[in-house]
Amino acid sequence: GSNRFMTGTLPTELGKLTALTALYLDLNSFAGFLPEELGELSLLRELYVFQTSLAGALPAGMLGLTSLQVFHAYECNLSGSLPQALGTLSRLTDLRLN
């Protein structure tokens, strides 16, 4: 079923949660952009933002997600080209975009 309980924009302070290893933002009504500060989460292994209202391009700061293994960002309003930084994430094994 659809959650959609959480709304609003993602705070830049998410980048201060440096011990975070998984971030599930999916199935909610978040709007706005993925904050550049997400790149400060170097221990993050899983990032799920699918089925949200997030828009815009993926931030170049994703280069800092050096531990990222899973990134799901389908059925949302992200647009633009993929940042070259995505190609440097050597641990990324599961990427789902649309």
Side-chain angles (χ1 to χ4, degrees):
S2 177
N3 293 339
R4 309 280 181 214
F5 297 126
M6 299 183 78
T7 62
T9 58
L10 298 177
T12 58
E13 290 81 10
L14 278 176
K16 294 180 181 178
L17 303 174
T18 55
L20 211 57
T21 59
L23 183 56
Y24 293 81
L25 301 170
D26 54 296
L27 300 171
N28 280 292
S29 295
F30 291 116
F33 305 93
L34 283 172
E36 190 75 31
E37 290 78 4
L38 278 180
E40 297 170 26
L41 304 178
S42 61
L43 299 179
L44 194 68
R45 293 191 306 255
E46 301 175 30
L47 177 57
Y48 299 93
V49 296
F50 64 89
Q51 295 182 2
T52 65
S53 297
L54 292 170
L58 296 174
M62 288 188 71
L63 177 63
L65 299 177
T66 54
S67 299
L68 195 64
Q69 298 170 359
V70 178
F71 180 47
H72 292 186
Y74 56 88
E75 294 182 30
C76 53
N77 296 318
L78 295 175
S79 60
S81 57
L82 295 175
Q84 286 186 312
L86 214 52
T88 65
L89 301 177
S90 60
R91 293 190 170 109
L92 189 62
T93 58
D94 188 353
L95 175 64
R96 298 182 193 189
L97 306 171
N98 73 335

